[in-house]
Amino acid sequence: MTETLPVTDRSRLRRLHERGHFDRATINSILDAQPMCSVGYIIDGKPFVTPTLQWREGNHVYWHGSSASRALRNSRDAQVCLSVAILDGFVLARSGMHHSVNSRSVTLFGTASKVEDPAEKLDKLGRFVNGLFPGRYEGLRPDHAQDLKATMVLGMEISEGSAKMRTGGPVDEEEDYDLPIWAGVIPVHTSVGKPIPDPRNIKDVPMPDHVRSFRL
Amino acid sequence: MTETLPVTDRSRLRRLHERGHFDRATINSILDAQPMCSVGYIIDGKPFVTPTLQWREGNHVYWHGSSASRALRNSRDAQVCLSVAILDGFVLARSGMHHSVNSRSVTLFGTASKVEDPAEKLDKLGRFVNGLFPGRYEGLRPDHAQDLKATMVLGMEISEGSAKMRTGGPVDEEEDYDLPIWAGVIPVHTSVGKPIPDPRNIKDVPMPDHVRSFRL
């Protein structure tokens, strides 16, 4: 921080660190950084949240599951809220009030639509696998027709929503900076471990590049 | 897997890996492993999901925010769904259908209540800080009365909900195990980086143990 603001202006100071973003590039970068998401929907007037994986294609976000899933059946053609949140660190300040987290999140609102066309559904699922593991889908045993039938893909246009980010160190009251209290940030990362081959892999099947070089 | 089941029994096979859990110990261990959560609630008949931090005290789970927050004002005395989800790995199978993730999740339902008593609220906030950073709260500059007023703590009894876990390797169709396709698990971990002291810390203030030994 190069600015010094009076204490009464601290809400403005905090806004320099924590801002809402409505530009598509910021929203896309957060969606693309973390496939895990939470989908909120309503059943019988009660809120439900289901964790699932999302993937993005241009202006749309998709998720999938069993055609029998209560979550999917109740999200289809209904209002949903899709949330992605990434924890980047704990922010330790000089008072409890100013403790915070560094994070990136996106919240999207819209009506979820089922991808009806079987060829389009297959294409979406292939892009989901290849989005995480480039080139993998073409090397897999093709999906059985009955398995595809048992899978529902929902999609939603990215049109209503926003991103939120907080970065940087603690923002304390000016008079608290003289206190002998350690303040700072504990960064949090998501990391990928060494791949564990299935013991039933056939002998000498090589580990593909999309596994060896996988990063989140 | 030591069992071999006929293909028609594969739903049973899958259940060995992915199960619902209703015992409190499993639910508690997942809540205690990950403070990040998603709270689902309803405004004007539409679902909303807000990422926030939760902490547990016995049979209750708590979260907090600004008293002015639309999320909190609309969750108070209302039905909410609180979800914690931890991604433990990507499970790569021999067909697209059997790709999965290893994960732990908890979904709780209930009515959120505001912690009204100021002393109780202070106690809850102190336990929140100390739950993450043991002993930190007592060393902080005490919260100002107006800051406490501006903070709302919501709580909910842990009474309705469940946990879900998936562990282990891919579960493929028996006839697919002969295919020359690499299958296995890419583990995902959350790790904590080197703490970054605030450049405005006073000279020689030591890094406390609750920072140095912090783990998620």
Side-chain angles (χ1 to χ4, degrees), chain A residues 196-213:
Chain A
I196 304 164
D198 188 344
R200 293 189 65 182
N201 279 348
I202 63 164
K203 201 172 166 291
D204 297 332
V205 66
M207 184 183 290
D209 264 356
H210 62 246
V211 173
R212 196 185 307 278
S213 59

Side-chain angles (χ1 to χ4, degrees), chain B residues 9 25 42 191 196 201:
Chain B
D9 236 338
I42 298 178
S191 57
I196 304 163
N201 279 348

Side-chain angles (χ1 to χ4, degrees), chain A residues 4 10 34-36 38-42 45-51 53 64 70 79-87 90-101 103 105 107 109 129 132-133 136-137 139-144 146-148 150-151 160 169-202 205-208 210-212 214 216, chain B residues 3-4 10 34-36 38-42 45-51 53 64 70 79-87 90 92-101 103 105 107 109 129 132-133 136-137 139-144 146-148 150-151 160 169-202 205-208 210-212 214 216:
Chain A
T4 307
R10 63 182 191 256
Q34 175 55 266
M36 281 281 281
S38 298
V39 178
Y41 53 98
I42 298 178
K46 285 173 63 174
F48 283 74
V49 176
T50 298
L53 301 186
H64 82 305
R70 204 162 76 122
Q79 278 282 331
V80 299
C81 174
L82 188 148
S83 162
V84 170
I86 304 169
L87 176 64
F90 290 92
V91 180
L92 286 79
R94 294 158 183 90
S95 64
M97 172 74 186
H98 291 305
H99 280 63
S100 187
V101 289
S103 64
S105 65
T107 310
F109 301 95
V129 172
L132 288 165
F133 314 109
R136 183 167 182 83
Y137 198 66
L140 297 173
R141 187 265 290 154
D143 284 312
H144 294 318
Q146 74 268 29
D147 287 343
L148 281 171
T151 302
E160 193 191 340
V171 179
D172 272 300
E173 307 297 325
E174 200 47 47
E175 65 269 24
D176 290 342
Y177 281 96
D178 294 332
L179 296 172
I181 298 170
W182 190 95
V185 172
I186 303 179
V188 173
H189 307 286
T190 301
S191 56
V192 164
K194 204 170 161 303
I196 304 164
D198 188 344
R200 293 189 65 182
N201 279 348
I202 63 164
V205 66
M207 184 183 290
H210 62 246
V211 173
R212 196 185 307 278
F214 179 80
L216 258 184
Chain B
E3 270 186 281
T4 308
R10 63 182 192 256
Q34 176 55 269
M36 281 282 280
S38 297
V39 178
Y41 52 97
I42 298 178
K46 284 172 65 174
F48 283 74
V49 177
T50 299
L53 301 187
H64 83 306
R70 205 162 75 121
Q79 279 281 331
V80 299
C81 175
L82 188 147
S83 162
V84 170
I86 304 170
L87 176 64
F90 290 92
L92 287 79
R94 293 158 182 90
S95 64
M97 174 73 186
H98 291 306
H99 280 64
S100 186
V101 290
S103 63
S105 65
T107 310
F109 302 95
V129 172
L132 287 165
F133 314 108
R136 182 167 182 85
Y137 198 67
L140 296 174
R141 187 263 290 155
D143 284 313
H144 295 318
Q146 75 267 30
D147 286 343
L148 281 171
T151 303
E160 193 192 341
V171 180
D172 272 300
E173 308 298 325
E174 200 47 48
E175 67 268 24
D176 290 342
Y177 281 97
D178 294 332
L179 296 172
I181 297 171
W182 190 96
V185 173
I186 304 178
V188 173
H189 307 285
T190 302
S191 57
V192 163
K194 204 171 164 304
I196 304 163
D198 187 346
R200 293 189 65 181
N201 279 348
I202 63 166
V205 66
M207 184 184 291
H210 62 246
V211 174
R212 197 185 307 278
F214 179 80
L216 257 185

Side-chain angles (χ1 to χ4, degrees), chain B residues 18-73:
Chain B
E18 182 168 2
R19 297 187 206 217
H21 296 261
F22 302 91
D23 62 293
R24 186 58 57 88
T26 304
I27 290 173
N28 288 353
S29 73
I30 296 170
L31 293 172
D32 295 350
Q34 176 55 269
M36 281 282 280
C37 72
S38 297
V39 178
Y41 52 97
I42 298 178
I43 302 179
D44 295 335
K46 284 172 65 174
F48 283 74
V49 177
T50 299
T52 187
L53 301 187
Q54 56 80 27
W55 68 102
R56 185 179 69 86
E57 248 187 270
N59 283 337
H60 284 77
V61 64
Y62 296 94
W63 63 104
H64 83 306
S66 161
S67 302
S69 141
R70 205 162 75 121
L72 269 70
R73 284 186 291 114

